Amino acid sequence: MIVRDFHDLKNSPRAVSDARWTSVRMLLADDKMGFSFHITTLEAGSEHTFHYKNHFESVYCISGEGSITDLATGETHEIRPGVMYALDKHDKHTVRAGKEDLVLACCFNPPVTGTEVHQADGSYAAPETAA
């Protein structure tokens, strides 16, 4: 059994920050669960474009409000507490946080290691395969 406290992890190396967002990695690839689980906070008023070409992601809104736009179709959906979205086609998308921080629970498959950095196109590199 794995038990971790967000409050302990938010000031640890498992808390990764970049341009106006922070992601606390609760589960990572080395936990061997087959997915990673993160609590991600997007700063109020911020906008982020991502394209997880090598990962599937599902996201559940815990608090705050914002929107997500599918950049292939231009379709925009509102995000608020209780809303979930899944990037089942490796969708390139833009997420916007509203007037408050947007707090999201995120799962990645395959799991991330915790050391990834967003590439110029908004993706993470493909996970290395075991030899």
Side-chain angles (χ1 to χ4, degrees), residues 64-112:
E65 294 184 353
S67 65
I68 181 170
T69 300
D70 180 333
L71 295 179
T73 66
E75 189 173 12
T76 298
H77 302 275
E78 296 304 310
I79 300 172
R80 63 184 176 283
V83 170
M84 185 278 306
Y85 63 86
L87 304 170
D88 61 332
K89 295 177 181 63
H90 303 285
D91 313 89
K92 186 172 185 180
H93 60 288
T94 298
V95 180
R96 293 170 194 85
K99 295 179 182 178
E100 300 175 13
D101 288 352
L102 188 58
V103 181
L104 308 166
C106 310
C107 289
F108 280 86
N109 183 7
V112 301

Side-chain angles (χ1 to χ4, degrees), residues 2-130:
I2 299 168
V3 177
R4 296 196 172 113
D5 186 325
F6 170 83
H7 302 286
D8 293 336
L9 297 179
K10 69 181 181 179
N11 295 312
S12 79
R14 283 185 175 254
V16 177
S17 295
D18 200 353
R20 301 184 70 189
W21 62 263
T22 299
S23 181
V24 177
R25 278 70 190 280
M26 306 290 291
L27 288 173
L28 291 168
D30 64 1
D31 291 311
K32 310 247 184 276
M33 293 289 296
F35 62 91
S36 56
F37 178 74
H38 317 191
I39 302 297
T40 300
T41 303
L42 305 181
E43 186 180 310
S46 65
E47 181 175 302
H48 311 269
T49 297
F50 301 117
H51 187 194
Y52 297 119
K53 300 182 293 186
N54 303 304
H55 298 81
F56 292 107
E57 182 188 25
S58 62
V59 178
Y60 177 82
C61 180
I62 297 169
S63 66
E65 294 184 353
S67 65
I68 181 170
T69 300
D70 180 333
L71 295 179
T73 66
E75 189 173 12
T76 298
H77 302 275
E78 296 304 310
I79 300 172
R80 63 184 176 283
V83 170
M84 185 278 306
Y85 63 86
L87 304 170
D88 61 332
K89 295 177 181 63
H90 303 285
D91 313 89
K92 186 172 185 180
H93 60 288
T94 298
V95 180
R96 293 170 194 85
K99 295 179 182 178
E100 300 175 13
D101 288 352
L102 188 58
V103 181
L104 308 166
C106 310
C107 289
F108 280 86
N109 183 7
V112 301
T113 64
T115 60
E116 291 82 359
V117 175
H118 284 103
Q119 300 178 105
D121 65 359
S123 70
Y124 289 140
E128 293 183 24
T129 56

